[in-house]
Amino acid sequence: QVQLVESGGGLVQAGGSLRLSCAASGSIFSINAMGWYRQAPGKQRELVAAITSGGSTNYADSVKGRFTISRDNAKNTVYLQMNSLKPEDTAVYYCNADIFWGLGRGDYWGQGTQVTVSS
């Protein structure tokens, strides 16, 4: 059984910062890409940022220069540092990971963490 557990969401004023964490646990052999997605009310889920096992990153245009994704492979953990937050960043943020485990490979999601940015 593989699980992704997120933490770090909350309420912050515009211009503030938050750091999200997502830890993978279970019978993990290796993790390929990891990423963060978000879904605002009434909108589709969208990619925010992703990082490969080698450290290559890509970002949504809306967060470039403000958000930074990183990972600690030894801890099977991915982070999202969010700076200069805007009200339009308000959403539920989900962690995603492509994981090789004991008997196969799967695409896993965390339970989501709420980020609310007040104006």
Side-chain angles (χ1 to χ4, degrees), residues 4-9 18-24 31-37 47-52 55-59 63 66-83 93-97 113 115:
L4 299 181
V5 178
E6 299 141 343
S7 60
L18 283 174
R19 189 191 194 210
L20 305 183
S21 299
C22 172
I31 302 177
N32 191 13
M34 303 183 82
W36 290 94
Y37 290 72
L47 174 68
V48 176
I51 185 167
T52 67
S56 297
T57 60
N58 68 286
Y59 297 91
V63 307
R66 299 189 297 122
F67 291 10
T68 302
I69 189 170
S70 61
R71 63 190 284 174
D72 184 333
N73 291 330
K75 296 181 179 179
N76 290 334
T77 299
V78 63
Y79 306 96
L80 186 68
Q81 178 67 43
M82 304 185 293
N83 298 328
Y93 283 70
Y94 297 90
C95 172
N96 173 260
T113 186
V115 171

